[in-house]
Amino acid sequence: GTDVVIGRAHIHAPRRHSGHHCGVTAKDKLTVEVTVWIDPVLAIGISIFISWNVIRNLREPFRIILQYVPGSEDMTVLQKQLEAIEGVHKIVETQAWTLDGHQHVMTTRLVVEAGASADVVRELVRSKLQEKGYKFVTIEIDQELSQVPNLPPC
């Protein structure tokens, strides 16, 4: 028979019984051409598919590692909602992040209005944040400047 090697493809064309030599036919050439390019195309396609899914699935872990604000929370809107709570004069500082994508953490520092109970305000703010999905909340409270007694300079 006749052996033809093209790249990695190997074709063996046996002799026919009639005694004539059987060469490579058009069908054999087509098979070789398809075989030569189909493997790399499939490999590239599978690689792209796997890479796309890896990138898509790693997006959330990277958000957690980089301590992004949980979900699509707009911190400006959240601060305005907290400032609307009775007894809150001003939000000084707010930081939010997620531990694992489901358990959210927030620390906030706020100033309470004159005459407002710090404990009552703290519980109102904590319950508002728990409604928003924040499991661990730390609230620091400062009294409004008019409530701070005049202290001698250091």
Side-chain angles (χ1 to χ4, degrees):
T2 303
D3 289 330
V4 177
V5 178
I6 301 174
R8 292 184 298 168
H10 181 84
I11 299 175
H12 176 73
R15 291 184 168 261
R16 295 193 180 188
H17 294 294
S18 63
H20 293 108
H21 177 68
C22 176
V24 177
T25 65
K27 180 182 174 188
D28 293 333
K29 286 182 183 179
L30 178 63
T31 303
V32 169
E33 289 173 6
V34 168
T35 304
V36 169
W37 66 263
I38 194 114
D39 285 343
V41 168
L42 285 175
I44 290 170
I46 291 169
S47 297
I48 290 171
F49 176 76
I50 291 171
S51 298
W52 175 258
N53 283 304
V54 165
I55 290 168
R56 192 180 68 181
N57 289 328
L58 285 178
R59 186 176 301 143
E60 187 62 27
F62 278 125
R63 290 179 62 86
I64 293 169
I65 290 169
L66 296 173
Q67 295 186 341
Y68 272 60
V69 175
S72 60
E73 190 76 56
D74 182 357
M75 294 306 290
T76 307
V77 172
L78 182 61
Q79 284 182 349
K80 287 179 182 175
Q81 290 174 349
L82 293 178
E83 286 176 344
I85 294 174
E86 184 179 344
V88 175
H89 175 69
K90 179 175 121 178
I91 301 294
V92 177
E93 178 183 15
T94 302
Q95 297 173 358
W97 65 96
T98 184
L99 295 176
D100 60 4
H102 304 289
Q103 296 182 42
H104 307 316
V105 180
M106 176 174 280
T107 62
T108 188
R109 189 171 137 227
L110 53 93
V111 177
V112 296
E113 294 174 347
S117 166
D119 291 333
V120 171
V121 171
R122 181 179 288 115
E123 288 311 309
L124 290 171
V125 170
R126 184 179 311 281
S127 61
K128 179 68 171 180
L129 291 172
Q130 286 177 340
E131 287 173 15
K132 297 283 228 173
Y134 290 95
K135 185 171 183 178
F136 304 103
V137 177
T138 302
I139 303 167
E140 291 183 36
I141 300 212
D142 295 337
Q143 298 296 321
E144 191 173 32
L145 293 178
S146 64
Q147 294 180 341
V148 177
N150 290 332
L151 300 174
C154 297

